[in-house]
């Protein structure tokens, strides 16, 4: 009945709930587990909680986890009665959920992941040749956010960039594919970083600020047409070779791909020079939920598995660097030169996302 209820929830409630991931699906998976924890998570953590090694590590601590996925911002529209925890991909939606469910105490943040832009080699070289990016390795570089936003302001096309003519796939308006900012964390954080850069290093904090930022944010979103509700779907499209040549995803997704495919072809990872890290933040709704959340940040086996899936522990850069020493051609071990933009309040970011999607206000 619980599984049926989860499926009905996914279909009928707020958009963004896209799948159900069950860790510990059989008696064999449960091991010594005695407590079942029900959670709703961002889709980018689905592979982590479905990993048999994670299932086994949790079972060794006495837990079976049943997880359903949702866009992080869409979680606010779900009825979480009966769940043990919610696990969105950043602090802002977590803070909203904590206030709604009157959760006391600090919210655990076991790990984080920077947002990156994945590109094919040809697209990355064209960006670098036109001052929109720099490449410091064959498969790694930096996206210049100011230059990218300037291109968006002027509706620049790939055809206007020197060197793009030899790549048949580089046509049409130059833009980065992102997720729906009204339901998905990565799409909302993209607007947070972009509006900060566009505002000259000032976080959007008032209605007047939203009015100033909205026209450009609208351009960044409207050119994309229909947006995905999760980075998981967008990244899978990119890997399969369809869709836009530039896609905003989490570094953790790239790391997982590199672990599974030792030669991912002409993939290039561009780190925006101004971005917002995605702090995966737990909202414990029960004692079991809080206990499991603490385990994710403190248990050595679970920390090691989180790093294997590309998540960076909050308090130890060395763990991530050691685990990914063979992937430095794609990944930055330390985020040197990457500026962190402050995130607007949840209310302001919601309004900015709404305006970017063409709802309310003037975007002329």
């Amino acid at each position: 009945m619980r599984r049926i209820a989860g499926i009905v929830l996914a279909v009928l409630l707020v958009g963004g709930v896209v799948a159900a991931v069950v860790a510990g699906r059989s008696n064999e998976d449960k091991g010594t587990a005695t407590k079942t924890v029900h959670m709703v998570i961002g889709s980018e953590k689905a592979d982590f909680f479905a990993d048999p090694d994670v299932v086994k590590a949790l079972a060794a601590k006495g837990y079976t986890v049943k997880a359903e996925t949702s866009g992080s911002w869409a979680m606010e529209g779900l009825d979480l009665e009966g769940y043990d925890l919610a696990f969105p991909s950043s602090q802002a939606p977590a803070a909203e959920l904590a206030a709604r469910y009157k959760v006391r105490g600090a919210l655990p943040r076991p790990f984080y992941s920077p947002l990156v832009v994945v590109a094919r080699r040809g697209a990355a070289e064209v960006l670098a040749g036109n001052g929109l990016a720099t490449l410091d390795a064959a498969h790694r570089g930096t996206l210049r956010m100011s230059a990218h936003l300037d291109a968006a302001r002027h509706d620049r096309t790939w055809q206007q960039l020197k060197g793009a003519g030899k790549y048949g796939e580089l046509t049409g308006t130059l833009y980065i594919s992102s997720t729906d900012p009204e339901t998905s964390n990565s799409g909302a954080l993209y607007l947070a970083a972009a509006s900060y850069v566009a505002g000259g290093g000032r976080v959007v904090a008032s209605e007047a600020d939203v009015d100033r930022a909205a026209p450009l944010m609208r351009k960044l979103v409207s050119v994309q047409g229909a947006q995905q509700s999760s980075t998981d779907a967008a990244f899978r499209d990119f890997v399969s070779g369809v869709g836009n040549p530039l896609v905003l995803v989490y570094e953790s997704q790239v790391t997982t791909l590199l672990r599974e495919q030792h030669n991912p072809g002409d993939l290039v990872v561009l780190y925006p020079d101004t971005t917002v890290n995605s702090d995966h933040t737990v909202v414990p709704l029960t004692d079991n939920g809080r206990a499991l959340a603490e385990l994710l940040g403190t248990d050595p086996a679970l920390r090691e598995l989180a790093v294997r899936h590309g998540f960076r522990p909050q308090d130890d850069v060395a763990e991530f660097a050691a685990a990914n020493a063979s992937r430095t051609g794609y990944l930055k071990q330390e985020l040197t030169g990457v500026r962190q933009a402050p995130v607007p309040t949840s209310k302001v970011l919601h309004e900015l996302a709404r305006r970017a999607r063409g709802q309310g206000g003037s975007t002329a």
Side-chain angles (χ1 to χ4, degrees):
M1 290 300 294
R2 180 72 198 184
R3 185 172 178 81
I4 294 172
I7 295 173
V8 173
L9 174 73
V11 173
L12 297 180
L13 289 178
V14 173
V17 180
V18 296
V21 180
V22 180
R25 285 178 284 255
S26 67
N27 290 333
E28 289 76 18
D29 287 336
K30 291 180 181 178
T32 59
T34 58
K35 295 180 286 289
T36 298
V37 174
H38 296 272
M39 61 168 69
V40 58
I41 63 174
S43 63
E44 70 291 328
K45 293 183 283 290
D47 287 345
F48 172 73
F49 283 107
D51 185 335
D53 290 335
V54 174
V55 172
K56 189 178 299 183
L58 288 169
K61 294 295 182 179
Y63 293 95
T64 295
V65 166
K66 294 187 177 180
E68 295 168 7
T69 62
S70 166
S72 293
W73 289 96
M75 289 182 193
E76 293 181 22
L78 302 179
D79 180 2
L80 298 181
E81 186 69 31
Y83 286 80
D84 295 285
L85 64 88
F87 201 172
S89 302
S90 68
Q91 295 183 62
E96 288 293 305
L97 288 170
R100 175 180 170 186
Y101 289 95
K102 298 179 172 56
V103 176
R104 307 299 180 192
L107 301 180
R109 292 183 294 128
F111 42 70
Y112 70 98
S113 183
L115 285 165
V116 298
V117 174
V118 289
R120 298 300 176 194
R121 180 71 187 176
E125 288 181 344
V126 170
L127 292 180
N130 288 270
L132 282 87
T134 58
L135 298 178
D136 49 51
H139 298 280
R140 187 189 69 229
T142 302
L143 178 74
R144 298 178 59 196
M145 280 291 286
S146 290
H148 164 61
L149 295 179
D150 185 64
R153 285 190 189 93
H154 295 91
D155 303 309
R156 192 168 300 171
T157 65
W158 283 104
Q159 292 93 319
Q160 292 173 321
L161 302 183
K162 63 181 180 182
K166 62 181 179 179
Y167 300 104
E169 70 276 16
L170 300 182
T171 61
T173 305
L174 171 67
Y175 68 91
I176 295 171
S177 288
S178 59
T179 54
D180 183 348
E182 289 195 281
T183 61
S184 173
N185 177 67
S186 60
L189 294 186
Y190 177 45
L191 296 186
S195 61
Y196 179 77
V197 174
R202 176 179 172 181
V203 65
V204 175
S206 66
E207 185 176 347
D209 291 339
V210 172
D211 287 341
R212 282 190 291 269
L216 179 56
M217 300 304 104
R218 176 65 179 146
K219 280 196 171 190
L220 296 177
V221 170
S222 63
V223 70
Q224 300 183 44
Q227 291 178 291
Q228 300 275 18
S229 61
S230 75
T231 52
D232 183 60
F235 188 52
R236 290 181 190 278
D237 283 350
F238 176 83
V239 171
S240 67
V242 300
N244 192 48
L246 303 175
V247 182
L248 185 79
V249 299
Y250 294 107
E251 180 192 59
S252 57
Q253 294 170 298
V254 177
T255 306
T256 298
L257 176 69
L258 295 174
R259 189 182 76 248
E260 296 172 349
Q261 299 182 19
H262 297 297
N263 182 21
D266 60 351
L267 171 73
V268 177
V269 184
L270 300 174
Y271 288 77
D273 58 14
T274 301
T275 189
V276 179
N277 282 343
S278 181
D279 286 310
H280 296 270
T281 306
V282 180
V283 183
L285 302 172
T286 66
D287 290 342
N288 279 344
R290 183 169 287 279
L292 189 141
E294 297 296 343
L295 269 180
L296 292 174
T298 59
D299 180 72
L302 288 168
R303 284 172 65 99
E304 182 180 343
L305 288 165
V307 169
R308 183 199 295 179
H309 281 267
F311 299 111
R312 294 177 179 248
Q314 289 287 355
D315 56 354
D316 196 336
V317 174
E319 279 185 81
F320 183 85
N324 293 286
S326 64
R327 304 182 184 108
T328 55
Y330 295 87
L331 306 176
K332 287 181 179 284
Q333 303 291 42
E334 296 187 9
L335 300 177
T336 305
V338 177
R339 185 182 186 186
Q340 287 298 308
V343 180
T345 65
S346 179
K347 180 180 179 181
V348 169
L349 195 52
H350 268 301
E351 180 60 19
L352 192 61
R354 211 171 63 85
R355 296 280 293 278
R357 295 278 291 169
Q359 302 175 33
S362 172
T363 57

